[in-house]
Amino acid sequence: MDDIAFPQDGTSETPQDGGAYRVLARKYRPKTFEDLVGQEPMVQTLENAFETGRIAQAWMLTGVRGVGKTTTARILARGLNYEVPGQTDKPTVKLEHEGVHCRAIMEGRHVDVIEMDAASHTGIGDIREIIDASRYRPASARYKVYIIDEVHMLSNAAFNGLLKTLEEPPEHVKFIFATTEIRKVPITVLSRCQRFDLRRIDQAKLTGLLRRISDAESIQISDEALLMIARAGEGSARDSLSLLDQAMAHGAGAIEADDLRQMLGLADRARVIDLFEHIMHGRVAEALDELSGQYEVGADPAVVLTDLADFTHLVTRMKIAPRAADEGSVTEVERVRGQAFAETLSIRLLSRAWQILLKGLQEVQAAPKPLSAADMVLVRLAYAADLPDPGEALLKLQQGGPVQGAGAQSAPPGGPPPQGGPSAQTDAGPKLKAIAGGASRVQPAAQGVPEHEPLRAVAQAEPEPPALILRSLQDCAALASEKRDIPMKVAIERQMRLVKIEQGRIEIQPTPDAPADIAGEFGRKLTDWTGTRWMVSISQTPGRPTIHEEREANQAQLLSDAKSHPTVAALLAHFPGAKVIDVQVKTSEDEDPALADPLLSEALGEDDSDDV
């Protein structure tokens, strides 16, 4: 069933079947709209609709597991057929007394309220039975109500067969659908229904529900244990009550947080925060010992990483929106220590930690040895927390100051910066080496490098050659020719109009025939060839002519100048139909004395060629 909540009066049902035990999810199932937990907007809408007589012909209830879909459908069917002799004889949401049809409807045995599980009745034949039976009036109730659970499991033929009846049902027929996969329901069906999205139950309300039920069952349970169950339930009342049922059996009348933690395979929240602190300080050995200790007492490595991700998310929210610390689901230790982390850790570091944990969680879940995989995730996370951002490292190098990790804006909470961890492991720990232009790579630290200035010392010990300077597209084309990349050389010369160039950055305007990815490909080639990061961007500003266009324009100017030369003009006049097809510029060392001879015209006059 997709529903559970606690009656407000605190009463419980009498066990049936000769005193057989009933699980809490069934024992404390709601019977009225007031009993539903966390669905107040839907109740308000239905109340207004019933009071004004605007009762829909079909409803679609959707939501995650355990939020009350099937129970809401039964309560809605009860409200549609509510009848108390001498008091009420109309649809209503105020179900203060048990009516004529109420008990049979809530127990699922009323002849006029038909429940069907679409997961086991998926075909057109099942829908045809509903269509045929809907023509007949109800036997005793006001409306004939069809409740179809998991409606998304119906076949396409079944959905199509239901459309006509769903659009124009008889006045005595109502449909109530429930599903956890609303996207699988055809839009033609959704458009014929009023849709209600049942919400996940808030942790505070869920904790209150669990407290009332445990008091009614005379079970002693701590507030921390209740909060742990509510978190594990993830907004589902049924899941939470199932866990409470299990905890009652495990604790034998008294439930403490430690017992529940062992039952669920959870880690202590305080120990999770300690682990988070070790990682943010770069204390890898302490972090691995803490994870091993939690594993030995029954914590699942995947759950530990999930808790780490949750705490990372909480710290990020506290940094951006401090009001997040006042939420009821946040414990005192999370509030105090989380605020301390929020004041000292940067958003960049928290975002990086979140991404590594999400990726690492998938690796742990798929790994044959989850603990080993979790160890490697923590190592990766600790070293990533210690490494500076490449741009920040380069800026520190240029300023001549020591380079620190990018994560902390000041000393991490809990004491001064650690002397151990990745930042102090100069013998084996990797050190970031900044390269001109923004690129970076990891190289082993040099022996004897001072701990507090690793980047500066390594840069002095191993000086980098000066970066290649490119001042024009001609330089780029020459470099492409040197690298024997003829296609890129042709693209540079014929498909790029230069707008702006500076070291590490070029703005171009591609020609209409240029490929769409020419800027990205050009930037990657320059970065590979020079060892310096180059950014090539597309500009809307008109650029200079391409190298090829400039070459053509220069050649045309040379031809024009040649034609206007007196000697050449005389030749063209002497030979009708002759034309100048090329001009070659030679240096003074390469000049042919014959070409400078004043008698050139006479010598050429003896040539039968038509072209010069």
Side-chain angles (χ1 to χ4, degrees):
M1 294 295 179
D2 284 337
D3 35 60
I4 18 191
F6 181 72
Q8 293 180 345
D9 56 8
T11 60
S12 61
E13 298 180 1
T14 302
Q16 298 179 354
D17 301 330
Y21 176 73
R22 302 186 70 193
V23 297
L24 298 179
R26 296 183 59 194
K27 186 175 182 179
Y28 293 96
R29 198 169 195 169
K31 296 182 176 63
T32 66
F33 285 105
E34 289 77 9
D35 297 339
L36 290 174
V37 177
Q39 311 304 335
E40 290 79 7
M42 179 196 67
V43 175
Q44 182 65 41
T45 302
L46 291 175
E47 181 178 0
N48 295 338
F50 281 17
E51 288 181 356
T52 59
R54 296 179 178 274
I55 302 177
Q57 61 196 22
W59 293 271
M60 179 71 68
L61 308 178
T62 179
V64 299
R65 67 195 184 282
V67 294
K69 296 186 294 296
T70 305
T71 292
T72 301
R74 289 184 178 180
I75 297 175
L76 182 54
R78 178 188 175 190
L80 288 169
N81 292 313
Y82 190 65
E83 179 182 353
V84 178
Q87 296 184 12
T88 305
D89 190 13
K90 65 176 183 178
T92 181
V93 297
K94 301 183 181 299
L95 310 177
E96 300 175 354
H97 306 285
E98 184 175 293
V100 176
H101 310 286
C102 292
R103 180 177 293 272
I105 291 175
M106 295 307 297
E107 294 178 356
R109 54 181 177 83
H110 197 285
V111 66
D112 292 325
V113 179
I114 301 94
E115 295 190 27
M116 188 185 84
D117 178 20
S120 55
H121 300 79
T122 62
I124 183 62
D126 301 299
I127 297 300
R128 188 177 293 114
E129 293 181 5
I130 294 178
I131 296 173
D132 293 340
S134 65
R135 295 178 296 177
Y136 303 102
R137 298 192 62 83
S140 59
R142 184 179 301 110
Y143 292 106
K144 181 175 286 189
V145 182
Y146 290 95
I147 300 176
I148 303 181
D149 201 5
E150 301 300 335
V151 68
H152 66 275
M153 301 292 289
L154 291 178
S155 64
N156 290 333
F159 274 124
N160 293 333
L162 186 62
L163 289 179
K164 183 61 178 177
T165 303
L166 185 60
E167 183 174 6
E168 298 178 357
E171 61 180 9
H172 57 270
V173 173
K174 302 294 182 183
F175 290 95
I176 306 176
F177 304 122
T179 178
T180 55
E181 300 286 347
I182 189 64
R183 294 184 178 181
K184 295 182 179 180
V185 179
I187 190 63
T188 51
V189 173
L190 290 175
S191 63
R192 291 165 168 82
C193 305
Q194 281 191 3
R195 172 177 168 176
F196 291 108
D197 291 86
L198 276 65
R199 303 177 177 180
R200 290 181 183 268
I201 303 176
D202 182 75
Q203 284 192 6
K205 294 182 179 180
L206 203 50
T207 304
L209 167 67
L210 296 174
R211 170 58 68 188
R212 295 196 299 272
I213 292 180
S214 59
D215 291 344
E217 293 291 323
S218 301
I219 297 298
Q220 297 180 359
I221 182 171
S222 65
D223 292 338
E224 184 181 357
L226 284 177
L227 187 57
M228 292 169 61
I229 293 176
R231 281 175 171 165
E234 297 181 343
S236 168
R238 183 180 62 240
D239 287 3
S240 300
L241 288 181
S242 298
L243 291 174
L244 180 60
D245 235 333
Q246 183 180 352
M248 290 167 55
H250 180 79
I255 305 173
E256 297 296 334
D258 291 339
D259 298 332
L260 188 62
R261 192 174 292 112
Q262 293 181 2
M263 184 193 80
L264 298 178
L266 299 177
D268 187 351
R269 300 293 291 185
R271 297 190 66 177
V272 169
I273 299 175
D274 291 340
L275 179 59
F276 182 85
E277 182 175 349
H278 290 322
I279 293 172
M280 293 299 105
H281 282 180
R283 299 192 290 260
V284 183
E286 290 86 343
L288 296 181
D289 290 341
E290 178 62 35
L291 177 60
S292 178
Q294 295 185 29
Y295 180 77
E296 290 175 358
V297 297
D300 185 357
V303 176
V304 174
L305 291 189
T306 301
D307 290 343
L308 275 176
D310 290 342
F311 186 70
T312 302
H313 173 254
L314 176 62
V315 173
T316 306
R317 290 190 61 197
M318 287 182 176
K319 189 173 185 66
I320 299 175
R323 292 191 302 273
D326 300 328
E327 296 179 357
S329 60
V330 180
T331 63
E332 185 64 22
V333 64
E334 290 176 329
R335 180 179 298 107
V336 174
R337 300 185 68 180
Q339 287 175 337
F341 282 114
E343 293 174 358
T344 57
L345 300 180
S346 67
I347 291 295
R348 181 169 57 246
L349 173 59
L350 292 171
S351 300
R352 184 189 304 166
W354 172 261
Q355 294 172 356
I356 293 176
L357 286 170
L358 285 187
K359 178 66 175 177
L361 182 59
Q362 299 176 3
E363 297 174 359
V364 170
Q365 292 172 341
K369 294 183 178 181
L371 180 60
S372 300
D375 283 344
M376 298 306 297
V377 173
L378 295 187
V379 171
R380 186 191 318 159
L381 186 59
Y383 273 76
D386 183 71
L387 288 177
D389 181 84
E392 182 178 309
L394 181 59
L395 179 62
K396 291 289 186 180
L397 280 176
Q398 293 172 346
Q399 295 176 349
V403 180
Q404 298 176 350
Q409 299 168 347
S410 60
Q419 298 301 318
S423 61
Q425 296 171 359
T426 56
D427 293 336
K431 299 298 179 184
L432 185 66
K433 182 175 183 182
I435 308 298
S440 62
R441 64 174 180 262
V442 175
Q443 294 189 356
Q447 294 291 337
V449 173
E451 176 183 352
H452 299 293
E453 294 187 340
L455 300 184
R456 186 177 177 185
V458 172
Q460 293 175 353
E462 298 180 11
E464 286 291 324
L468 181 62
I469 304 299
L470 301 177
R471 296 186 175 88
S472 64
L473 286 184
Q474 285 82 353
D475 293 345
C476 298
L479 181 60
S481 178
E482 179 183 342
K483 299 297 182 179
R484 299 183 180 276
D485 193 335
I486 303 305
M488 180 53 65
K489 179 178 182 295
V490 173
I492 295 172
E493 293 180 346
R494 294 176 178 266
Q495 297 175 337
M496 300 182 191
R497 296 189 174 101
L498 180 63
V499 177
K500 182 180 180 181
I501 184 170
E502 57 188 25
Q503 188 63 18
R505 182 175 181 84
I506 299 178
E507 294 183 19
I508 63 171
Q509 182 191 39
T511 60
D513 60 334
D517 62 341
I518 187 171
E521 182 67 17
F522 186 30
R524 286 190 291 271
K525 291 294 181 69
L526 288 180
T527 301
D528 293 341
W529 293 339
T530 64
T532 301
R533 187 179 182 187
W534 282 83
M535 296 294 296
V536 179
S537 59
I538 303 297
S539 175
Q540 300 299 325
T541 304
R544 297 177 53 184
T546 65
I547 297 176
H548 179 71
E549 290 170 345
E550 289 183 346
R551 191 176 295 158
E552 291 289 328
N554 292 336
Q555 188 69 12
Q557 183 63 39
L558 288 175
L559 288 174
S560 177
D561 294 342
K563 291 178 181 179
S564 61
H565 192 276
T567 304
V568 178
L571 287 173
L572 295 178
H574 184 72
F575 297 99
K579 59 183 178 180
V580 180
I581 61 173
D582 191 17
V583 177
Q584 296 182 357
V585 179
K586 293 187 178 182
T587 62
S588 58
E589 294 83 359
D590 297 332
E591 272 191 9
D592 188 346
L595 295 179
D597 193 334
L599 301 179
L600 175 62
S601 57
E602 296 181 6
L604 290 176
E606 299 176 358
D607 193 345
D608 295 334
S609 174
D610 291 338
D611 295 333
V612 178

